[in-house]
Amino acid sequence: MAKAAVQHACSECGYTTGKWLGRCPDCGSWGTLVEERALAAAPGVRGGAAAGRPLLRLVEVEAADAARLPTGVPELDRVLGGGLVPASLVLVSGDPGIGKSTLLLMALRAMSAERKVVLVTGEESPAQVKLRADRLGGGAAVDVLAETNLDEVCATLERERPEVCVVDSVQTLYAPELGSAPGSVAQVREAAGRLLRVAKEHGVATFLVGHVTKEGAVAGPRVLEHLVDCVLHFEGDRYRSHRILRAVKNRFGSTNELGVFEMTSEGLAAVADPSELFGRPDEEQPGSAVVCTIEGTRPLLLEVQALVSPTDLAMPRRVGTGVDPKRLSMVVAVLGRHAGVALGAADVFVNVAGGVRIDEPGADLGVALAIASAARGAPVKRGVACFGEIGLTGRIRPVSQAERRLAECAKLGFSEVLVPDGTESRGRMRLTAAATLRTAISAGLDASGSSEG
Ligand SMILES: Nc1ncnc2c1ncn2[C@@H]1O[C@H](COP(=O)(O)OP(=O)(O)OP(=O)(O)O)[C@@H](O)[C@H]1O
Ligand SMILES: [Mg+2]
Ligand SMILES: [Zn+2]
């Protein structure tokens, strides 16, 4: 007999503790610990003595290599690492209204031409799903199950054995025997655990939709990250039409790939040339620089914007959106120490246009150039893009895949690229090589409009 014990679980990260705390000791969130009744018996224990199982020799294990399923949405395939792996469990998380249901319904529609696919909808009625499908061009052969009872969902999947299934959303499912409310940490974990078993045992590749929530009562997708094979984040600016899909965890591929979409009335359209979208400043103004980064296998031109404003604060602010804060502090320090751009009495704000995050050292030079341009009131020269990693000594270090970056700059019509010393050019592009940050700044800024010497 299972007995109920009171425990408190963090809806942000899943940390559990016996007593209530105002702040989660694990992830540091405030007010996210909520009371849950948990079953004392470990789930999955079915009784009966275990007799031990035969071992498998790894060389004898048959793995259907390269048997990935194309989802019909090439940008999704790219982020998954070349298509959907059969029997895998993929968590798709994102803010409300960002387009998770749209993305996955598009994939289901495309896949339903050749495979059996099921949409488990706990959030919307079949009629609502139908309306969305019509907007995307018709329902095709997608089977819909409107159900939130976990036992029913699992039993149906075991009976129907679809090749692909979408559960929208995992937070709406509940196992009645758990006693806690749908969306609680215990429920969400139980649902994901049971669906994982169905996925692996019956070969159902499963997408779980998980909402990023701000209220403590509903467990966030982070609670499930360790359990699933892949975690995809769907993000973007709600007020603009583009969306970015990225892998945060991928057991079968790189986590550097980006998928870029535009939300249109017919659904999500792939953006073939994201640089066009993110790398074009409207006009040359101080505080803006274009940098070419590499996201996975794809070069991406991004506009970096900076604002430098005098402050009386003892600890001036360094605020970056889309830039790693440690990287930003480092660039600010190097600018001051080695490039003559003193920022000790100024707040520095940096923003990557389009809500893209840059995680790549090759973008350092763009961040530095944007800040230097803002600090000196001098715009970056017309038609100039850049890339390069900045070292602590103020030198510019070479970066990987320079050739592809240059090709991207050329394609988007930049006439000159500021690059680390030693970068070779094979194209018609004009390269300005700089060994140090100081020389890069004087080569990159248009001094004619400068407000400082
Ligand atoms: N007719 C339309 N034309 C253009 N965009 C639309 C249209 N209808 C809906 N959208 C867009 O689709 C978004 C909703 O997409 P979707 O329902 O797939 O998001 P979701 O992430 O599943 O949201 P939820 O959190 O509500 O489940 C809306 O925010 C809106 O931007
Ligand atoms: Mg939805
Ligand atoms: Zn926590």
Side-chain angles (χ1 to χ4, degrees):
M1 267 287 232
K3 83 172 190 298
V6 170
Q7 69 172 16
H8 295 85
C10 172
S11 58
E12 190 63 28
C13 69
Y15 174 87
T16 52
T17 166
K19 59 179 190 301
W20 187 85
L21 299 166
R23 182 175 196 223
C24 171
D26 202 32
C27 70
S29 305
W30 290 93
T32 52
L33 286 164
V34 284
E35 186 179 312
E36 285 199 348
R37 260 189 317 137
L39 291 180
V45 177
R46 291 271 150 81
R53 303 267 312 268
L55 295 173
L56 289 175
R57 182 62 50 91
L58 201 49
V59 293
E60 286 156 16
V61 175
E62 283 182 41
D65 191 33
R68 289 179 182 254
L69 318 173
T71 62
V73 181
E75 297 286 299
L76 176 59
D77 289 343
R78 173 209 293 277
V79 176
L80 286 168
L84 181 61
V85 172
S88 62
L89 190 61
V90 179
L91 176 67
V92 179
S93 73
D95 288 334
I98 204 76
K100 303 175 292 294
S101 305
T102 305
L103 176 70
L104 294 174
L105 186 57
M106 283 170 62
L108 281 185
R109 282 190 65 237
M111 287 187 286
S112 71
E114 287 178 22
R115 317 173 193 285
K116 186 174 174 69
V117 303
V118 168
L119 170 63
V120 178
T121 170
E123 214 133 88
E124 296 175 343
S125 67
Q128 281 174 299
V129 174
K130 175 86 164 80
L131 285 178
R132 178 179 292 110
D134 286 345
R135 180 159 73 87
L136 302 177
V142 177
D143 289 327
V144 178
L145 171 67
E147 181 59 72
T148 54
N149 182 318
L150 184 58
D151 298 328
E152 293 290 344
V153 170
C154 290
T156 309
L157 292 177
E158 283 169 17
R159 187 191 68 214
E160 297 287 332
R161 300 205 177 184
E163 228 178 311
V164 183
C165 158
V166 168
V167 176
D168 192 358
S169 68
V170 66
Q171 285 128 330
T172 56
L173 296 185
Y174 74 99
E177 70 271 19
L178 284 194
S180 54
S184 63
V185 173
Q187 287 284 9
V188 168
R189 279 203 175 141
E190 176 72 10
R194 300 247 304 260
L195 288 165
L196 177 72
R197 207 149 54 212
V198 174
K200 303 291 167 193
E201 283 174 12
H202 301 279
V204 185
T206 305
F207 287 101
L208 300 179
V209 173
H211 295 287
V212 175
T213 63
K214 296 285 178 278
E215 1 162 358
V218 177
R222 272 193 58 199
V223 166
L224 302 177
E225 286 187 352
H226 63 283
L227 201 96
V228 300
D229 296 312
C230 302
V231 180
L232 309 185
H233 267 313
F234 203 31
E235 51 196 41
D237 199 327
R238 266 240 271 169
Y239 305 100
R240 292 205 232 160
S241 59
H242 67 265
R243 305 281 189 270
I244 294 161
L245 184 68
R246 66 166 78 231
V248 182
K249 160 180 169 176
N250 192 347
R251 286 185 179 149
F252 317 111
S254 145
T255 53
N256 295 322
E257 296 290 352
L258 276 188
V260 184
F261 299 91
E262 199 161 354
M263 182 61 95
T264 71
S265 53
E266 285 92 44
L268 293 155
V271 176
D273 221 335
S275 297
E276 196 94 58
L277 207 58
F278 305 133
R280 282 303 177 104
D282 297 335
E283 53 194 286
E284 281 77 10
Q285 281 180 330
S288 156
V290 175
V291 69
C292 190
T293 71
I294 295 274
E295 293 288 339
T297 56
R298 168 188 265 183
L300 190 59
L301 279 171
L302 295 172
E303 186 198 353
V304 182
Q305 297 172 343
L307 173 69
V308 171
S309 110
T311 183
D312 294 328
L313 293 178
M315 289 276 288
R317 282 179 290 182
R318 279 81 181 86
V319 183
T321 309
V323 191
D324 175 44
K326 286 193 205 116
R327 210 83 209 158
L328 175 57
S329 311
M330 189 277 284
V331 168
V332 167
V334 175
L335 276 167
R337 185 75 180 76
H338 297 292
V341 183
L343 299 160
D347 289 332
V348 177
F349 302 90
V350 174
N351 180 29
V352 179
V356 184
R357 275 201 323 261
I358 41 183
D359 304 317
E360 197 243 348
D364 287 351
L365 187 53
V367 174
L369 208 56
I371 297 173
S373 161
R376 298 211 168 139
V380 172
K381 282 181 192 158
R382 198 171 266 276
V384 171
C386 68
F387 59 83
E389 178 178 352
I390 295 174
L392 292 178
T393 58
R395 296 196 77 77
I396 312 254
R397 308 219 296 240
V399 294
S400 63
Q401 308 191 50
E403 197 75 24
R404 302 181 67 173
R405 297 181 203 243
L406 290 173
E408 182 74 4
C409 295
K411 199 169 84 191
L412 271 288
F414 286 86
S415 55
E416 184 182 345
V417 189
L418 261 177
V419 295
D421 227 5
T423 305
E424 288 187 14
S425 160
R426 291 191 204 140
R428 290 164 279 112
M429 200 89 200
R430 196 165 125 218
L431 298 191
T432 305
T436 66
L437 184 53
R438 190 183 288 269
T439 51
I441 289 170
S442 50
L445 295 189
D446 187 348
S448 59
S450 173
S451 65
E452 198 188 283

